[in-house]
Amino acid sequence: MDNEVVMMMEGDEKRYAVLLCAEDSEYVRKKHGGYFGVFVRMLAEAGETWDVYRVALGEFPEEEELHLFDGFVITGSCNDAYGNDTWIHDLINLLNKLNSMNKKILGICFGHQILGRALGGKVSRSPTGWDIGVRTITLSSSSPLALSSLDIPLKLSIIECHRDEIRELPAKAEVIAWSEKTGVEMFRYGDHIMGIQGHPEYSKDILFHLIDRLLQKDYIMDDMAVEVREKVALWEPDKEAWKRLCVSFLKGRL
C-alpha cells in the first residue's frame, strides 16, 4: 500500500490525511504496506479517501487544500517532538492552522507529543526512561470516552514504545488517561484534538521488529530487550476497543 491515496468509495465521500512522521522500514513496508497502510487498516471506512503526506521528508499539504479534509492523523517518529528540525517547526505551524480551523486531529506517540508542544505544552525525556511493551492505562471516568455508548472499559491495554512524554499540558487541555509510568497517556483539547501516547495501531510483531531496531542502534540493551519480549508475549493489547475509540473520535461520533 505505497500509493499516495487510498479510496474506499461508497456513499458520501469523506477525506482524511495521515501526516507520516517516520520513514518506513523495509519490514513494515513489505508486511504491512508501510505505516500508512497500518493506519488505513485501523481507521478507514467505506465512503472515504485517505491521503498520506511524508512530513518528515518535507512533504506537506498546501494551505489551500486544508479545508478539503475532514481530519488528520499524526504518526509516531524516531525524532524528538522537542527537536528543532525544519520539518518539525513546519509541522507545528500546520497544526496551529488546523487547530484554528477546528479540524479533527488525532496524534499518536510523537503525534501526541507534537500536538502538546504546538498547543503550548512542554515535552521532554521521561525521568523514568523507556516505556516499551504492553501497558494498562486508566481512562478518566468523567471523560467523553467513558461516558459514550462505545462500551469502552476504564482500563485498556496498549502497546507503548517511547522515552519522551508530555510533561506539562497546554492550557485548556484535559488529561483523559494515565498510567503508573506516564502521567499524560491521553489528552483532549476542545472537541477536535486528541492525543494518545501509546500505539493503538501497532501489532505485537511491529513492536518486536522495533525492539530489534532499537537494539541495533544501541538505544536499549540486550537484557532489556529480552525482558520486554518475555512480558509482551503474555499480554494482548485491546486493539478492537482502541479501533472503536479512534474511529469514533476522528469521525465525530464522540
Side-chain angles (χ1 to χ4, degrees):
M1 200 180 305
D2 287 333
N3 297 350
E4 294 294 321
V5 180
V6 169
M7 305 181 77
M8 306 183 72
M9 300 299 295
E10 256 182 46
D12 295 331
E13 183 182 337
K14 297 284 187 179
R15 189 173 180 186
Y16 298 91
V18 173
L19 304 177
L20 191 62
C21 303
E23 292 189 44
D24 293 325
S25 67
E26 185 177 356
Y27 173 84
V28 172
R29 190 164 52 248
K30 284 184 175 178
K31 182 156 187 182
H32 298 281
Y35 288 114
F36 178 52
V38 173
F39 276 100
V40 166
R41 270 189 295 279
M42 180 176 75
L43 298 172
E45 297 176 305
E48 297 173 356
T49 297
W50 281 78
D51 297 71
V52 59
Y53 293 93
R54 292 173 173 82
V55 295
L57 300 179
E59 182 184 304
F60 286 82
E62 298 293 336
E63 189 167 353
E64 58 269 22
E65 294 178 320
L66 298 180
H67 73 280
L68 300 173
F69 291 93
D70 294 281
F72 295 80
V73 180
I74 319 163
T75 74
S77 177
C78 293
N79 292 74
D80 299 323
Y82 46 83
N84 287 309
D85 306 67
T86 299
W87 73 267
I88 289 178
H89 284 285
D90 290 343
L91 179 57
I92 289 170
N93 290 335
L94 171 61
L95 296 178
N96 284 323
K97 288 174 190 168
L98 296 177
N99 177 36
S100 71
M101 299 169 72
N102 277 336
K103 289 292 183 181
K104 283 279 185 180
I105 312 173
L106 174 64
I108 305 296
C109 198
F110 169 90
H112 159 89
Q113 296 164 9
I114 200 71
L115 274 172
R117 177 181 175 183
L119 296 167
K122 297 282 187 349
V123 181
S124 69
R125 283 276 192 266
S126 167
T128 54
W130 281 99
D131 191 6
I132 306 173
V134 180
R135 181 166 294 280
T136 298
I137 72 166
T138 301
L139 287 172
S140 167
S141 59
S142 62
S143 75
L145 306 176
L147 300 174
S148 73
S149 60
L150 292 177
D151 193 27
I152 301 292
L154 292 182
K155 301 278 189 182
L156 281 175
S157 294
I158 191 168
I159 289 175
E160 304 266 7
C161 189
H162 66 99
R163 59 176 172 174
D164 298 336
E165 62 181 64
I166 295 177
R167 301 288 294 160
E168 185 179 315
L169 266 183
K172 301 181 183 176
E174 174 193 4
V175 177
I176 57 173
W178 57 88
S179 69
E180 292 180 358
K181 176 79 167 61
T182 303
V184 186
E185 288 281 4
M186 295 177 66
F187 78 92
R188 278 187 71 145
Y189 185 89
D191 294 326
H192 60 295
I193 291 175
M194 185 168 74
I196 302 173
Q197 178 57 75
H199 284 277
E201 80 283 11
Y202 274 8
S203 58
K204 290 206 292 190
D205 80 289
I206 292 178
L207 178 60
F208 288 141
H209 167 68
L210 284 174
I211 292 169
D212 289 341
R213 293 185 72 193
L214 291 172
L215 261 176
Q216 290 165 8
K217 295 182 178 183
D218 293 324
Y219 287 147
I220 61 174
M221 305 300 288
D222 286 328
D223 56 348
M224 182 179 185
V226 169
E227 181 183 356
V228 168
R229 282 179 172 277
E230 288 175 351
K231 287 183 177 178
V232 168
L234 302 175
W235 294 91
E236 291 295 330
D238 293 310
K239 284 184 66 69
E240 285 305 311
W242 282 110
K243 177 175 180 173
R244 291 199 308 277
L245 189 156
C246 292
V247 167
S248 297
F249 168 76
L250 196 62
K251 314 296 172 73
R253 299 170 194 159
L254 281 177

